[in-house]
Amino acid sequence: DISKIETGQLEAFNQKLLLYDFITKLYEFYKPNFNEKNIDFSLKLNFTDNAMEIITDEGKLNQVISNLLSNALKFTSDGNVELGCILRPGNLTFYVKDSGIGIDKSFHNKIFDRFRQAELEITRQYEGNGLGLAITKGFVELLGGEIWLESELGEGATFYFTIKLNVFKSKDTNPDESDVDEVKVIDEKQYKILVVDDDDESCLYLRELLAKFPEYETVVLTSGLDAIEYVKQHSVFDIVLLDIKMPDVSGYETATKLKVLHPELTLIAQTAYAFYNDKQKALEVGFDDYISKPILPEDLIRMLNKHLQIGL
Ligand code: ADP
């Protein structure tokens, strides 16, 4: 992982995640480890919306929190540990606060370097290779956030990190209260592409293909209904690559609804059989263009460049 992070080969996937469910399950999973050491382990959330779904890389988020909890467990012999998740407009802030041995201020800026162990004399008694926090920091950055700590030697430690908040769906649709939906995304990626296809292999293929180009940020969804719901909340896409044949709501119907929501959105149909009729119908219902499956990399890039006016 560390060499992949350093060579920029690791990428974050965009997946739907039920936040409340995720964090409570993680908490329950770790609880027995803390109980065993007689550490009081608690969870603090500032939201109650258990239906809220966000878009993030679940595996990496899980790994980051797990690394911080493992350290808290390792460096705390009694007392308490708190896992927190704070929903803010624009980001999610997580923290792991422990009452353990703490970390001297002079080590704070080195602690995320690889192979760093705060004080060899003290921590030699604890197992570890000093890579955990370097990997953790790399993952946090892939998730669009930052990591930092507050601690003093002997006073416990609190590790904070943020991730970019991308709400897919929240229960709260009342505009007065839905400040969470006013997501300000700090983004170096220039173009946002939404891929909608019910076929897992096609999704994976397009995701991997687009990930090779740093200017594209790709969100992949597997149904027309999800796409409509998502675009309703995020009008941020430049291009939607929509499969025509989907089981719940067809690509044609999805396209019509998306165009009503955002007439300026560029819609490209993925037509499976390249039948002339499919293409004609696609243009009639409002698609701006079509591309035939199997999609060749050079064709897709040419198509995207054409509509994004890159190189023109
Ligand atoms: P390791 O795999 O050796 O634990 P990490 O990168 O996770 O490596 O941590 C590096 C060092 O940071 C640890 O060896 C320890 O000295 C210090 N450290 C990390 N988390 C804590 C914590 N919660 N309390 C005290 N020290 C910590």
Side-chain angles (χ1 to χ4, degrees):
D1 278 347
I2 195 72
S3 59
K4 276 191 182 164
I5 288 168
E6 287 177 354
T7 52
Q9 288 177 52
L10 213 61
E11 41 164 323
F13 294 123
N14 290 309
Q15 301 159 319
K16 277 199 285 176
L17 176 73
L18 263 172
L19 182 63
Y20 188 88
D21 204 49
F22 166 80
I23 194 81
T24 48
K25 279 197 181 134
L26 202 58
Y27 167 73
E28 291 299 336
F29 181 79
Y30 273 91
K31 208 169 168 32
N33 297 306
F34 287 97
N35 284 350
E36 241 172 59
K37 279 185 83 176
N38 264 336
I39 296 169
D40 178 22
F41 183 41
S42 57
L43 173 69
K44 218 170 230 170
L45 309 173
N46 77 334
F47 60 93
T48 51
D49 182 354
N50 59 8
M52 183 170 62
E53 286 177 279
I54 62 164
I55 301 275
T56 192
D57 187 321
E58 177 172 357
K60 293 195 179 61
L61 181 59
N62 190 319
Q63 182 75 57
V64 168
I65 300 172
S66 299
N67 286 356
L68 296 179
L69 287 177
S70 302
N71 278 347
L73 185 67
K74 187 154 62 164
F75 298 109
T76 309
S77 52
D78 52 33
N80 47 68
V81 170
E82 184 175 296
L83 166 64
C85 176
I86 306 165
L87 186 63
R88 296 207 164 104
N91 81 37
L92 266 178
T93 306
F94 294 86
Y95 65 86
V96 175
K97 181 181 166 76
D98 69 56
S99 62
I101 63 169
I103 301 156
D104 191 88
K105 280 229 156 47
S106 59
F107 289 106
H108 286 198
N109 56 358
K110 301 189 203 113
I111 203 129
F112 299 104
D113 294 349
R114 59 181 175 149
F115 303 124
R116 182 67 58 184
Q117 292 193 314
E119 280 196 78
L120 282 177
E121 313 82 63
I122 291 181
T123 51
R124 199 172 291 144
Q125 54 180 302
Y126 303 96
E127 268 179 45
N129 54 21
L131 276 179
L133 285 175
I135 292 171
T136 302
K137 180 171 192 267
F139 279 12
V140 166
E141 287 169 357
L142 280 171
L143 299 177
E146 291 175 278
I147 184 164
W148 70 97
L149 77 146
E150 281 172 11
S151 179
E152 276 182 45
L153 199 59
E155 302 283 311
T158 308
F159 283 82
Y160 297 89
F161 73 93
T162 58
I163 63 166
K164 184 172 84 177
L165 177 63
N166 214 345
V167 178
F168 173 71
K169 193 168 82 188
S170 77
K171 212 191 255 170
D172 188 3
T173 47
N174 179 344
D176 293 339
E177 295 166 55
S178 64
D179 54 349
V180 166
D181 287 340
E182 289 167 24
V183 182
K184 279 205 187 68
V185 180
I186 305 155
D187 212 352
E188 316 78 45
K189 304 242 175 192
Q190 257 177 298
Y191 303 109
K192 293 216 157 84
I193 317 282
L194 175 62
V195 171
V196 189
D197 197 320
D198 64 304
D199 179 56
D200 287 344
E201 276 178 35
S202 300
C203 288
L204 187 65
Y205 171 70
L206 289 174
R207 191 207 297 279
E208 302 252 302
L209 176 57
L210 290 166
K212 293 196 170 74
F213 300 87
E215 64 269 39
Y216 300 134
E217 175 170 340
T218 314
V219 173
V220 178
L221 299 174
T222 51
S223 84
L225 281 177
D226 280 356
I228 294 161
E229 183 66 31
Y230 194 70
V231 168
K232 244 185 223 170
Q233 302 205 30
H234 307 260
S235 53
V236 291
F237 290 99
D238 295 291
I239 287 189
V240 183
L241 272 171
L242 204 50
D243 183 32
I244 291 292
K245 304 235 176 340
M246 288 187 292
D248 61 346
V249 181
S250 78
Y252 299 122
E253 206 181 327
T254 308
T256 312
K257 294 207 165 127
L258 292 182
K259 275 287 177 184
V260 171
L261 288 171
H262 295 289
E264 73 293 348
L265 200 56
T266 301
L267 303 180
I268 298 175
Q270 308 177 43
T271 54
Y273 309 112
F275 283 155
Y276 181 75
N277 280 350
D278 281 353
K279 293 176 180 172
Q280 266 319 102
K281 189 166 172 202
L283 296 179
E284 277 162 26
V285 303
F287 277 101
D288 297 275
D289 218 328
Y290 51 77
I291 188 163
S292 304
K293 284 182 168 183
I295 296 175
L296 299 176
E298 57 273 24
D299 289 344
L300 178 62
I301 299 310
R302 205 179 303 122
M303 174 77 63
L304 295 179
N305 287 352
K306 175 175 140 193
H307 289 281
L308 296 167
Q309 307 221 310
I310 302 170
L312 295 177

